[in-house]
């Protein structure tokens, strides 16, 4: 996909996500005018049904999540950056979220997740065709870095919420 098409797709996803709770971004989505850099095609789980009552329990308004995410986790200026995503989760309508970075080369990546709210978000990751991590990273009002090792092309990130509605930002960078 060329940069303009990726940026258009990113803007459509971002606009939709403001309503439903998730905003995946690749490097091209974050800054369409940036010089060419590694990027990944991203697919996400089906859009959850919005829950206005849950949105009222979030630590900040839904439309401010993308701005918060830009400062909560490393962005495109970070060495090895390959993509990021942000949004919010709530039970029972949108407590699970999955994003697939389908074209990333096998290797070692570092993910950083930031979460805010009274819920706990479990982050699992790995190869596209593998089961979720047996011991996911748990995030409750924190920012946590963790490593992801893949052995085949592509990488997936799964987020699951337990408890109250919470917001999240995840950034990925290749380290080896």
């Amino acid at each position: 996909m060329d940069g303009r098409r990726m940026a258009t797709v990113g803007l459509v996803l971002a606009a939709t996500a403001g309503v439903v709770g998730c905003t995946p971004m690749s490097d091209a989505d974050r800054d369409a005018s940036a010089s060419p850099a590694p990027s990944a095609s991203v697919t996400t789980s089906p859009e959850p049904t919005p829950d206005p009552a849950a949105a009222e329990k979030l630590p900040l308004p839904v439309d401010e999540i993308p701005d918060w995410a830009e400062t909560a986790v490393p962005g495109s200026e970070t060495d090895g950056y390959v993509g990021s995503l942000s949004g919010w989760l709530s039970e029972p309508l949108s407590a699970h979220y999955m994003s697939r970075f389908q074209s990333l080369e096998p290797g070692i990546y570092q993910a950083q997740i930031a979460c805010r709210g009274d819920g706990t978000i479990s982050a699992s990751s790995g190869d596209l065709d593998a089961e979720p991590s047996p011991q996911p990273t748990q995030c409750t009002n924190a920012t946590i870095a963790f490593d992801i090792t893949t052995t085949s092309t592509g990488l997936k990130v799964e987020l699951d919420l337990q408890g109250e509605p919470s917001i999240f930002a995840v950034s990925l960078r290749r380290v080896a």
Side-chain angles (χ1 to χ4, degrees):
M1 238 185 245
D2 65 53
R4 287 185 184 154
R5 189 168 177 199
M6 290 270 304
T8 301
V9 169
L11 290 173
V12 170
L13 287 172
T16 303
V19 176
V20 300
C22 46
T23 307
M25 291 186 192
S26 71
D27 192 29
D29 296 333
R30 187 178 288 276
D31 186 356
S33 64
S35 60
S39 64
S41 64
V42 181
T43 58
T44 59
S45 53
E47 296 171 358
T49 304
D51 181 359
E56 291 177 11
K57 295 180 181 180
L58 295 172
L60 56 107
V62 170
D63 61 344
E64 293 179 19
I65 295 172
D67 291 335
W68 165 78
E70 286 184 17
T71 61
V73 295
S76 59
E77 71 285 348
T78 305
D79 287 340
Y81 175 83
V82 295
S84 60
L85 47 113
S86 65
W88 60 284
L89 299 171
S90 68
E91 291 183 336
L93 300 176
S94 60
H96 179 77
Y97 174 83
M98 183 182 346
S99 187
R100 293 178 178 97
F101 294 80
Q102 296 179 331
S103 60
L104 293 180
E105 294 180 13
I108 300 172
Y109 294 84
Q110 182 182 68
Q112 194 165 85
I113 182 171
C115 61
R116 302 293 181 266
D118 292 330
T120 298
I121 296 176
S122 299
S124 300
S125 56
D127 287 315
L128 291 175
D129 58 353
E131 290 296 316
S133 309
Q135 295 185 343
T137 299
Q138 302 288 315
C139 184
T140 305
N141 278 319
T143 301
I144 303 168
F146 59 97
D147 292 333
I148 304 167
T149 300
T150 60
T151 57
S152 60
T153 300
L155 177 150
K156 71 179 171 184
V157 175
E158 293 187 47
L159 304 176
D160 289 291
L161 174 72
Q162 293 180 340
E164 293 297 313
S166 297
I167 63 175
F168 66 87
V170 177
S171 176
L172 294 170
R173 69 182 192 97
R174 185 177 172 89
V175 293

